[in-house]
């Protein structure tokens, strides 16, 4: 898991980051909620546009508070948990070959 802050200033900047990787993105409008420890069978990057997403790296216990401008890079099978009061993001998912 890699979290980087202040990576873009607006949605156009987030879209550029995703397109530079050769991926297409989708917009996520997530309501308040919580997800216990889980993993995905794909790599994903998420660019937080509004709100906040708290991501916990279950392996290390490290808690990341991700706000507008944050880039979350999750490799396939990375065990993590999430909490949010609501957020909007640009995201992409890529299945490893």
């Amino acid at each position: 898991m890699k979290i980087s802050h202040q990576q873009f200033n607006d949605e156009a900047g987030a879209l550029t980051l995703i397109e530079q990787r050769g991926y297409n993105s989708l917009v996520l409008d997530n309501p308040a909620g919580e997800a216990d420890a889980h993993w995905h069978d794909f790599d994903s990057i998420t660019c937080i546009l509004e709100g906040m997403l708290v991501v916990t790296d279950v392996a290390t216990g490290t808690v990341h508070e991700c706000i507008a401008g944050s880039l979350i890079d999750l490799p396939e099978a990375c065990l993590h948990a999430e909490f949010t009061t609501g957020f909007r993001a640009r995201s992409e998912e890529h299945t490893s070959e």
Side-chain angles (χ1 to χ4, degrees):
M1 172 184 308
K2 181 179 178 184
I3 309 291
S4 307
H5 301 285
Q6 300 177 346
Q7 295 300 297
F8 53 90
N9 296 319
D10 55 20
E11 189 167 351
L15 186 57
T16 297
L17 280 175
I18 292 169
E19 288 178 343
Q20 285 174 342
R21 294 182 182 212
Y23 302 136
N24 294 317
S25 71
L26 56 116
V27 176
L28 302 175
D29 284 306
N30 288 24
E34 190 169 357
D36 292 333
H38 65 284
W39 56 272
H40 306 279
D41 60 355
F42 50 81
D43 299 326
S44 72
I45 62 170
T46 301
C47 298
I48 303 296
L49 303 172
E50 299 172 11
M52 180 179 60
L53 175 63
V54 178
V55 180
T56 302
D57 183 332
V58 175
T60 65
T62 304
V63 177
H64 303 276
E65 188 173 296
C66 304
I67 59 172
S70 296
L71 172 65
I72 304 164
D73 196 338
L74 288 175
E76 178 181 359
C78 177
L79 191 60
H80 64 286
E82 303 171 359
F83 170 81
T84 184
T85 55
F87 72 95
R88 184 167 188 269
R90 277 271 180 186
S91 184
E92 68 78 25
E93 302 167 352
H94 177 70
T95 303
S96 297
E97 310 261 340

